[in-house]
DNA sequence: AAAATATGTTCCGTGACACGGAACAGCGAC
DNA sequence: GTCGCTGTTCCGTGTCACGGAACATATTTT
């Protein structure tokens, strides 16, 4: 029963749209009757909302999601540094953590002329296709790198790195420079520079700046990104 | 069964801490056995996480919470304006919507020297104790105002308005000026100025700047707050 | 040392209640 | 009109969630 309810709610990932009963039943693999009864319960409990004949995710999820401890705490101490970084660059700023072979974005701030990116708060992308991901990968121990390299490398654009050797050198470069770069590997026309954030000696997060390819000037962005990452690392250590 | 699971998850509101099994069972009113089995299932499904003997809210909730449509969309179009406002003031900026007689905060951005406030993203506060709440109250129709005035007014600090007459005049002032003020009514030492955000003719949200009482200069903040609110209202209308 | 009181965990018999097929009701299309 | 599609209700069957009791283990009390 919990499994079935979860199956229904999971239908809304990753796009969070609105679905009709029949579609929910089909996606979740449940009987229409069961889906009907379950959706009714979920609405009653606040997990879903219903408008007319379509269901959406409910406000309770938003409230609970904001409370998830690791995410909330990290976001809270990181925000001032992300603001600094945004103010220095006026470009889209990301904060992400690793989960398995993917990066989960904790925060994403941008101005009026935001670049088009597949990254969303709470969204997941492959480690190997993003600046944040590569920064995390480079400082999460060699075992993880080998694991990731052993599996086939996913790609989001024609520029995504699919050659293990190229990725290995990219990771090594990130390890020596403390900065990870990404060029149109997650979205066409967007480049990115990222830096890892440490809590002690392990990378717990990474932050990045994503810039339209036309005005991407790594030399100018690098100091700002590095400064923000170091400042946040420091703040995390003193928080512990 | 869904009810019981919800009861467990709801134990984490509003503080999102970490609980042991026995405490969860007590808070949710369930048998220890039932709580045990349910928590196991919830962990398996990602709703909760377990470290040693304590349970926390799980990453799935964060990911799903970020997808809740109304919240996500509003936040996304509002963010650039909130950034403008933050950059202009360098004070804590809020964005909130109304839910019943409370305000739910959608976004809250701040710098290094953040004021101490009970507001949290996803958190709820009484309409009558906050700038955002008063701005929403002033532009949500007279029926709501009467409803709120009819009930006893909650208070968060000794400065919170508990006199219906005082509140009524405050709301009327907000209606004519288009700005709502709050002085130490939500937290001691913090003042606040807020403006409603419209989508068409109804207020769908409100944004505010919270400032330590010492350096609160409404005359300087008012234009910035008003500008941001108007800009956002415009953006929402063109989005529709 | 032993007894007492916590904790989390397992077992199991009972009974409630979730399940899904079938049937119904309302709507729009062709 | 009929067909196909919604969402919804009904109900008999069988499952699986339930919670008391017993267990294992750690920490505190006597």
């Amino acid at each position: 029963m919990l499994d079935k309810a979860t199956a229904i709610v999971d239908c809304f990932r990753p796009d969070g749209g609105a679905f009709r009963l029949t579609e929910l039943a089909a996606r979740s693999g449940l009987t229409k009757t069961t889906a009907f009864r379950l959706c009714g319960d979920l609405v009653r409990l606040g997990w879903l909302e219903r408008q007319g004949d379509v269901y959406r995710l409910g406000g309770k999820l938003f409230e609970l999601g904001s409370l998830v401890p690791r995410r909330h705490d990290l976001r809270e101490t990181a925000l001032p540094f992300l603001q600094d970084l945004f103010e220095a660059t006026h470009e889209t700023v990301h904060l992400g953590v690793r989960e398995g072979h993917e990066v989960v974005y904790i925060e994403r701030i941008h101005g009026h002329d935001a670049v088009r990116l597949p990254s969303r708060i709470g969204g997941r992308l492959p480690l190997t296709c993003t600046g944040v991901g590569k920064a995390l990968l480079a400082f999460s121990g060699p075992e993880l790198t080998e694991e990731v390299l052993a599996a086939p490398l996913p790609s989001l654009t024609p520029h995504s790195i699919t050659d293990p050797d190229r990725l290995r050198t990219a990771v090594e470069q990130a390890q020596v420079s403390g900065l990870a770069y990404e060029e149109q590997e997650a979205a066409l026309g967007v480049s990115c520079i990222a830096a890892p954030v440490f809590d002690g000696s392990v990378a717990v997060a990474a932050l990045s700046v994503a810039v339209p390819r036309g005005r991407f000037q790594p030399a100018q962005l690098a100091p700002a990104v590095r400064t923000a990452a170091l400042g946040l690392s420091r703040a995390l250590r003193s928080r512990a």
Side-chain angles (χ1 to χ4, degrees), chain A:
Chain A
M1 158 122 211
L2 270 186
D3 302 67
K4 311 203 182 197
T6 303
I8 287 188
V9 176
D10 276 339
C11 293
F12 293 90
R13 279 198 296 191
D15 40 298
F19 299 107
R20 316 193 48 145
L21 178 62
T22 308
E23 192 167 2
L24 276 179
R27 289 190 176 226
S28 58
L30 301 175
T31 313
K32 204 166 54 160
T33 307
T34 305
F36 173 68
R37 187 168 10 87
L38 237 42
C39 284
D41 289 343
L42 289 170
V43 168
R44 177 175 50 85
L45 294 167
W47 299 104
L48 294 183
E49 286 173 5
R50 178 174 181 168
Q51 293 171 355
D53 277 345
V54 302
Y55 295 89
R56 303 173 202 274
L57 295 176
K60 181 200 279 283
L61 274 168
F62 176 79
E63 297 178 32
L64 284 169
S66 311
L67 291 174
V68 177
R70 307 200 172 189
R71 309 298 155 83
H72 175 78
D73 301 346
L74 178 59
R75 193 249 180 210
E76 201 65 11
T77 69
L79 187 58
F81 298 97
L82 301 179
Q83 291 294 342
D84 290 346
L85 188 51
F86 176 77
E87 203 157 334
T89 63
H90 281 103
E91 301 288 354
T92 302
V93 173
H94 290 102
L95 175 72
V97 299
R98 183 178 70 84
E99 196 147 303
H101 290 192
E102 291 179 310
V103 43
V104 175
Y105 288 99
I106 303 298
E107 184 56 286
R108 171 173 186 264
I109 61 184
H110 56 81
H112 293 282
D113 54 346
V115 295
R116 272 209 192 178
L117 273 177
S119 60
R120 307 176 54 147
I121 295 182
R124 297 159 162 273
L125 291 179
L127 283 181
T128 57
C129 298
T130 65
V132 169
K134 285 197 240 176
L136 287 166
L137 185 56
F139 294 92
S140 297
E143 309 82 11
L144 182 73
T145 311
E146 295 312 317
E147 263 184 46
V148 171
L149 283 169
L153 301 181
S155 73
L156 297 176
T157 76
H159 296 83
S160 301
I161 300 180
T162 54
D163 174 24
D165 289 332
R166 269 190 67 206
L167 184 62
R168 192 185 297 270
T169 62
V171 166
E172 286 167 0
Q173 281 184 356
Q175 282 166 344
V176 300
S177 68
L179 289 173
Y181 296 88
E182 176 242 312
E183 283 174 26
Q184 303 190 81
E185 297 156 34
L188 291 176
V190 180
S191 295
C192 181
I193 176 172
V197 174
F198 296 95
D199 186 358
S201 63
V202 294
V204 294
L207 49 80
S208 77
V209 177
V211 184
R213 188 162 168 273
R215 57 174 190 252
F216 186 55
Q217 296 175 319
Q220 296 186 5
L221 295 172
V225 173
R226 188 175 261 129
T227 302
L230 288 176
L232 176 52
S233 300
R234 229 180 127 104
L236 286 176
R237 181 150 35 167
S238 64
R239 276 281 164 210

